[in-house]
Amino acid sequence: GVLARRTSKEEHTLEDMTAFNTDGFDVSGNNVHIHHCNIWCQDDAITVKDTSSNMKFDHINTSGIGLVIGSIGRSNNSNITFSNIYMYKP
């Protein structure tokens, strides 16, 4: 995996959050399945971009601060599923 952390703690520390604005996954498209992984980031764990469909995200551990569907403004997304996501306390 790819780590972008300054400490090994399972929480956000001030040191880990300095100078970081990192999303875990920014995805768009169709028929995407991301599963059984750890995402260590200091911003949105998963961001599904506009005009995406048939996506499933499951069995994920993350330090991120959100799961996002769509961008600011109008979005046209369909059949986006998040299940069995564990978000560590920031």
Side-chain angles (χ1 to χ4, degrees):
V2 176
L3 297 177
R5 296 181 58 82
R6 295 180 184 192
T7 72
S8 60
K9 294 183 179 181
E10 291 185 351
E11 59 202 36
H12 292 292
T13 65
L14 288 177
E15 185 179 4
D16 280 320
M17 294 180 72
T18 57
F20 282 99
N21 184 13
T22 56
D23 286 344
F25 286 99
D26 283 339
V27 294
S28 63
N30 303 303
N31 305 314
V32 173
H33 185 198
I34 296 175
H35 56 96
H36 293 91
C37 62
N38 297 313
I39 303 170
W40 296 107
C41 62
Q42 283 73 37
D43 203 351
D44 297 324
I46 300 169
T47 302
V48 177
K49 299 296 187 178
D50 295 339
T51 63
S52 294
S53 65
N54 302 321
M55 293 189 175
K56 183 176 181 182
F57 306 92
D58 61 83
H59 297 93
I60 296 171
N61 298 312
T62 181
S63 67
I65 59 175
L67 304 170
V68 179
I69 300 174
S71 299
I72 297 172
R74 292 175 45 177
S75 295
N76 186 20
N77 298 305
S78 63
N79 195 26
I80 310 298
T81 303
F82 295 97
S83 65
N84 296 307
I85 309 289
Y86 179 80
M87 300 188 76
Y88 289 95
K89 181 181 176 183

